[in-house]
Structure formats: C-alpha cells, structure tokens
Amino acid sequence: MRNSLFLAAFVCLIIGCESKPTYDTIIKNGMIYDGSGAAPVKGDIGINADTIAFIGDLSQATAKETIDAKGKAVSPGFINMLSWAVESLIEDGNSESDIRQGVTLEVFGEGSSMGPLSPKMKEREQNSQGDIKYKVDWTSFGGYLDFMDKRGVSCNIASFLGATTVRDYVIGEDNRQATPAELDTMRMLVKAAMEEGALGIGTSLIYPPAFFASTNELKELTKEAARYGGSYISHMRSEGNNIEKALNELIEISSYANCHGELYHLKMAGKDNWGKYDTVIAMIENARKAGIDISANMYNYTAGATGMTASFPPSLQDGGFGKLRERLQDPKIRAEMAKAMNTNATDWENLYYGANGAEHVLLLAFKQDSLKKYTGKTLAEVAKIRGTSPENTAMDLIIQDSTRVGVAYFLMNEDNIRKQIQLPWVSFGSDEGSYSTKGVFLKANPHPRAYGNVARLLGKYTRDEKLIPLETAVYKLSGLPAKNLKLQRRGLLKVGYYADVVVFDPATVNDKSTYDKPHQYSEGVSDVWVNGVAVLRNNEHTGKRPGKALRGPGYKSK
C-alpha cells in the first residue's frame, strides 16, 4: 500500500496530474482578431510578464487575474502611425485619449524630431513652448527616447528622425542648399540617430525650412538611413495642385535608397484636386507593381490641422519664424501676402486657398491668454469681431501670438476618404497629440482626430458603413503598420509576441469628439494591456506606465 501511494505520487509529479497551467492574466471567451487580417476565432489568451504565452483553450488554467471578454473583440494594440504626442506625453504620460481607443504605440517624427538639438535649437525649443512647459534635458535623438523611458508613459513610443531637424542643426533656417561638407555632416547625424533607434527619415516638405531642401539632399539622407534598415516617410511637397509631382519625388527617393516609402496622411487637398484620386492611387499601385515598396497612412476627417502660417509662401519664413513675424509688420509685404493668400499657387501649398477661404479655417490653439477667447471660432468670425479683413486678421493673430497659430483647414472630400479606407496598403495616424479631459489640455482645442481617429474607423466606417470587415480594420491598425515599421514581436496576437492587447466591443465602439467639443473620450474600448500590464481596466485608466521606447532596426545598444 505504501509503495502504491509512493508510485502514484511519483507519477503525479512527473505528469503534473494535480497541477494546472498558471498565468499572470487570462483573457477568456473573446473573439480573437490576431492582426493578420484573418477571420476571428473564439478563444482565450494567457499572458505571462510582458509576453503572450498561450492562445487557445485555457478553461483548465488559472491566473492571478481573469477577464471575461465574452461578446467582445480581442486584438493587438493599435499603432498610431503619425503621432504628435511628443509634448503631451511629457505633460501627462497616461496618453488617455489614445489609450481609450486601444492605441499602444505612438510613432513620432513627421519632419521634425526631438533630437538632435544644437545649443541654439535647444534654446529655441525651450523658449517657444506654449501651454505645456518642460525642461529640455536631452540633446541627441536617443536622449529624448531615454528621457521618456525614465519619465514613464502608458504607451510605447517610437520615432523617425526629422529631416528638418537635421537640416536645422547643420544649416539653420535659411533658404539655401547644403554644401558637400554640410551634407557629410548631415549623413553623420543620420548614422548616429539610426544607431540610437530611429525608424528612418521623416519629412514635412510644405513647411520651411524643410521646403528648402533639394530632392538630392533627401535622397542622400534616406540612403544613409536605409543602410541601417530605415525607411522614408513623408508629408509630401504637395497634397494638392502638385500632388503628382510630389508623389514622384517620394517614389524617386524610396527607389534610390531601396527602402520602404510611406505617405503621411494620404489626401487630395482642395476642391480643385478632389478629382485626382484615381490618378494618385494608380501612381502608387504602379510603383508597387514595379517592386517599389510604397504605402500610406491617413486620418478619417475632412479637415486637416496645422498652422495659420501655411497660408503664406514658405519664402516668407526664410531665416525662421522671427523673420516671418518681422516681415508681416511691413505694410508692403502685408499687401502682397493678402493677395498671395487668395492665389491658387502652383509653387507652394496654399492651404487657405485650398480650404476656400476664412469660413473654412477654424482656430484651435493660441499661446497668449488674451487670444484664447477666439478658440473654436472660424477666421471669418474673428475677422468680423475685430473689424478687419480675414487676411489682415490672420497676419495680426500670428504677430500678436508670436506663434504659427493652430488652425484646422477643411480641405478633403468624404467620398475620397471612404475609398482610401478600403485600400489594402493604408494604415492610420491621428496627426495629433494624446490628451486628457482636464488640466492644461483644456486651454486649446485639438482636432477631434486626437480623441476619435481609431474609434471612428472601427465604429462609423467599419461597423456602420461596412466599408471593410472588422478583421481588415484591425490589420490596418496593427499588423500592417508593424510590418512597415519593421517592429519585432509587435502587431500580432501570437505566442512569443509582446502582450500589447486590446479588448473592445464592436457593437458600441464610437468616436464622440467634435470640432465644437473635442475633449470627449471615445467609447467601446474597455481594457488595454501594454507590455503585459493593464493600463485600462473596465473603462478606467489604471495609472500604470509600462510603455517603452521602441528602437528601429539599426539600433545599437549601449
């Protein structure tokens, strides 16, 4: 008898007849959308530490915490391909407006990046801060990523190296070409940033001083980045009158560097250009068929948002914003600029004209408290209040605020947006910060895409309008951008991958933010994990900050 008990105990020890698998977290009974675009399957997910440990049937397993996702979708964390949360995350690392939509990665670097910074750039960065104040405690590109790692954020972050930042570091804000020696220095800066974790080169070519860079300069910087596996991503020189020429430049740069190329916020801007949709898409498709790896991202709104200064020719900012402000106080130049604002320019991107005038320009953000009363009004309304023409009002506001003045331009066509969403190579980016509905963030109006870009895709366009299946929408928010960014173990629900996981209700997910009342969280996302840690549970932010700075393919650890 004694020997039999010993034998039974030994067998149980060997085969584990009494033990059950144990996990830190089990998400059970959900419909799993794995991020690949495949049809969903019902199942459970087990998470240990920061990793997905099991996917399947965990009915016999135990966990420290179990979440019942019955009736809900379970997906990989979503990737915001164009984020401007570089400062908002310094102010508040909880990233609530995006976390509450399931966004677990913010990707920075549209033209400018938070490094490298020369002493002059660092001083300018410090002095130009608006409502959000912080000490610039870093100099290099990687220094900012290290700074954010130490500060703590709820989401992951990553960044392209801004070509504008590189140009500013070496040349400044003047309208001239780089010398061969300066171009060599710029290449060295690219090399350093790629080894510090940059994803590639990002440009924003309608804005000075980026506008002053030649195609050759951009080709050489991108080729250097491509040596480290980096890609090229661009707000092109034109999204309107010259969009075909601008797209050819992007294709040329990507082809020359033999790297992935991506368009920021795909659009045909301005009513006169809405009909170019078929031509633009055919150009991209033809490039892809020719073996050039081109894709795009977008936001789901008919208005873009940038500065009032995009109503003036870039040459006005030769030498920097200070020079522009000075020039706008010259009566002769003001008269020329008033005329230029109402010109359908072919050699620069006139967003004021593209929006069809002051009635379609919405004021969003000011630095000076005395001007914040105009937030949420159109330029036409403020011109009427002040008794000056819209053109003079625009110039006066820039002078008085000493900033470019944040505005929204209504430029796009809803039918084109619907067609773009269905393209297989399009992912999504908010082109905004990530905020909360309290504190300093309430001093300005963001574009509603800050609170609703992802939820709007999942609710309005996927569920309500049925433009794409839900599994396709999830792929466009996770697997597709992760592949384009060459992220390791991200973007899919797969054993061994990092546990960036979202639970949401496809029946209720919805954006609530509007242009009039933008500070409203989206609904329908109940739970979010970043690197295995719950940052959103039962619709409430946990205050946890497990996010990491993700480094690009050329990263060399210290």
Side-chain angles (χ1 to χ4, degrees), residues 295-464:
S295 60
N297 57 69
M298 65 176 289
Y299 48 80
N300 310 309
Y301 298 82
T302 57
T306 184
M308 187 86 79
T309 47
S311 299
F312 306 112
S315 57
L316 197 67
Q317 293 190 60
D318 184 359
F321 177 81
K323 290 291 186 180
L324 173 139
R325 188 174 183 274
E326 181 181 313
R327 290 169 184 138
L328 288 181
Q329 296 176 68
D330 183 319
K332 181 180 178 182
I333 292 177
R334 286 175 70 94
E336 293 172 353
M337 290 304 102
K339 182 178 180 181
M341 289 175 71
N342 291 288
T343 300
N344 190 16
T346 57
D347 56 345
W348 60 283
E349 196 87 334
N350 187 349
L351 299 191
Y352 180 83
Y353 185 92
N356 200 26
E359 294 83 1
H360 306 288
V361 179
L362 185 67
L363 305 180
L364 299 178
F366 295 93
K367 181 177 182 179
Q368 304 299 328
D369 289 341
S370 60
L371 298 175
K372 291 183 185 294
K373 60 189 175 185
Y374 298 134
T375 301
K377 292 180 169 59
T378 67
L379 179 59
E381 290 171 331
V382 175
K384 186 175 181 180
I385 292 169
R386 293 170 66 116
T388 55
S389 71
E391 295 79 11
N392 280 312
T393 300
M395 289 183 268
D396 290 341
L397 291 174
I398 291 169
I399 293 168
Q400 292 162 15
D401 202 50
S402 292
T403 72
R404 64 181 197 155
V405 178
V407 301
Y409 295 98
F410 288 81
L411 297 162
M412 277 73 78
N413 173 262
E414 181 68 25
D415 289 339
N416 283 348
I417 289 173
R418 290 188 175 97
K419 288 187 286 187
Q420 288 174 199
I421 287 170
Q422 299 175 73
L423 295 167
W425 36 264
V426 169
S427 57
F428 294 86
S430 70
D431 198 3
E432 257 289 5
S434 186
Y435 310 112
S436 67
T437 56
K438 59 187 177 182
V440 70
F441 299 129
L442 300 181
K443 292 186 176 183
N445 277 7
H447 190 296
R449 62 195 181 194
Y451 284 85
N453 194 52
V454 169
R456 190 173 178 84
L457 172 69
L458 296 174
K460 173 180 170 63
Y461 292 113
T462 300
R463 178 192 62 233
D464 299 342

Side-chain angles (χ1 to χ4, degrees), residues 142-153 155-157 531 545-551 555:
Y144 171 76
L145 298 180
D146 292 339
F147 170 82
M148 295 301 286
D149 264 340
K150 292 174 184 176
R151 193 171 185 86
V153 288
C155 54
N156 296 314
I157 62 171
N531 298 314
R545 297 185 176 183
K548 298 177 181 178
L550 308 184
R551 268 70 173 188
Y555 176 62

